Amino acid sequence: MTDASPWWTPHVHADRRPRLLARNAIKRDMRDWFAERDFIEVETAALQISPGNEAHLSAFATEALTIDGGRQPLYLHTSPEFACKKLLAAGERRIVNMGAVWRNRERGPLHHPEFTMVEWYRVSESYQALMDDCAALLALAARRTGATAFSFRGIKANPFAAPERLTVADAFSRHAGIDLLASIAPDGSTDRDALFGAMADAGLSGSDDDSWADLFSKVMVEKVEPNLGRGRATVLCEYPTAEAALARPCPHDRRVAERFELYCCGVELANGFGELTDDVEQRRRFVAEMDEKERVYGERYPIDEDFLAALAIMPEASGVALGFDRLVMLATGARHIEDVLWAPVAER
């Protein structure tokens, strides 16, 4: 794609079409894969009362006009997570949702305001099972396109190799020389000054007004993420509880939570949890996240009370969301997410 020739220009579309057909083929294979494992495909509404309550997720807002002239604020969802968990509370045990989600303030080679997310849940199964699922889907996409290796920005990985499993603490030690857990108390609370000092000792800079979360993110972006998924995929697991708003604490160490992310060629592909089912704790985390959002962006989103009510009766489960477009990018060798979208959103 070029600035002079939009995606719908016949010659541009002809160049893009092989990757788009590969996208369709990967999606068909993926649907078959889930069906063979007794997953039920569900469809959730894009319009929600709350788009999610994570501080740095930005949503598209709209409103519904009622027949009596009223106005109901609504949002395009950033994930089908809340609706899917309500379905688990209703009695479903293995579900998958494949559909569009929307995130504001996000655009670039790996980001698009509207993209496709594949999100699935397993009731009464550990989040390690989801790690295995992710590895299987990497191989599935590679088989469909005939790729023997994935590559992005000069980083290569074998999609058929078993992913490396690496804790966040080990990744900070290995790639940044920082003892991350030394800045986290036994109850999961964080010590901003301890992390700031550790970063300085490792030759990394931070601002005086950076929070612990800001510092954590800087180390991740600058030192950790570029080194993940080299040679083979990486499953980065056991995130600090403070960075896992929807995940339950690990039973062996409450400083960290059952959250993982899948990386391949330095690209984040999936984000999974052993799901938190404590509605009281979930509310506390949501309020804290929205307080941070208000501090940084000057806005906050409502809390979905129905979601918290459903969470109170939801069974133990694990869930994961995978960026389908990014997976297609790696499987087809695309350099930009818009190269694998049938009709990208216009940018002025």
Side-chain angles (χ1 to χ4, degrees), residues 166-174 176-199 212 216 219-220 224 236-244 249-250 252-259:
L166 180 68
T167 69
V168 174
D170 286 343
F172 267 59
S173 176
R174 178 187 301 179
I178 291 173
D179 182 356
L180 178 65
L181 296 182
S183 70
I184 306 174
D187 65 356
S189 59
T190 57
D191 184 335
R192 180 261 177 207
D193 291 339
L195 183 54
F196 187 86
M199 287 175 62
W212 185 94
F216 175 87
V219 179
M220 282 288 294
V224 176
L236 188 68
C237 59
E238 296 188 11
Y239 272 70
T241 303
E243 292 295 313
C250 289
H252 67 277
D253 187 347
R254 296 188 66 83
R255 292 177 297 176
V256 294
E258 291 187 354
R259 177 188 174 191

Side-chain angles (χ1 to χ4, degrees), residues 5-25:
S5 300
W7 60 263
W8 47 264
T9 305
H11 74 277
V12 174
H13 179 68
D15 288 341
R16 299 174 65 239
R17 193 168 183 268
R19 288 193 174 99
L20 299 174
L21 295 179
R23 172 193 179 97
N24 285 9

Side-chain angles (χ1 to χ4, degrees), residues 51-221:
N53 296 106
E54 295 181 53
H56 300 293
L57 280 184
S58 296
F60 288 89
T62 185
E63 61 181 8
L65 305 179
T66 62
I67 58 174
D68 60 0
R71 296 173 181 269
Q72 179 188 6
L74 291 171
Y75 299 86
L76 291 173
H77 67 183
T78 58
S79 160
E81 181 169 5
F82 288 4
C84 284
K85 288 181 177 177
K86 290 173 185 177
L87 288 170
L88 298 184
E92 297 297 341
R93 297 190 61 81
R94 283 190 180 184
I95 58 174
V96 58
N97 181 287
M98 304 176 69
V101 298
W102 292 263
R103 295 188 179 181
N104 219 338
R105 290 195 178 101
E106 295 190 11
R107 188 142 200 167
L110 291 169
H111 296 87
H112 196 259
E114 178 178 342
F115 62 98
T116 297
M117 181 177 286
V118 181
E119 187 160 314
W120 67 100
Y121 293 84
R122 291 175 175 268
V123 167
S124 300
E125 297 183 67
S126 73
Y127 83 143
Q128 283 88 355
L130 301 178
M131 299 176 190
D132 295 336
D133 290 344
C134 288
L137 293 176
L138 280 181
L140 176 150
R143 282 194 298 271
R144 169 47 63 185
T145 61
T148 57
F150 288 170
S151 176
F152 188 74
R153 293 176 178 169
I155 303 174
K156 294 185 177 182
N158 178 356
F160 301 103
E164 170 193 30
R165 295 193 182 184
L166 180 68
T167 69
V168 174
D170 286 343
F172 267 59
S173 176
R174 178 187 301 179
H175 300 301
I178 291 173
D179 182 356
L180 178 65
L181 296 182
S183 70
I184 306 174
D187 65 356
S189 59
T190 57
D191 184 335
R192 180 261 177 207
D193 291 339
L195 183 54
F196 187 86
M199 287 175 62
D201 291 343
L204 297 172
S205 62
S207 301
D208 290 339
D209 60 349
D210 280 339
S211 66
W212 185 94
D214 294 331
L215 298 172
F216 175 87
S217 180
K218 284 185 177 182
V219 179
M220 282 288 294
V221 171

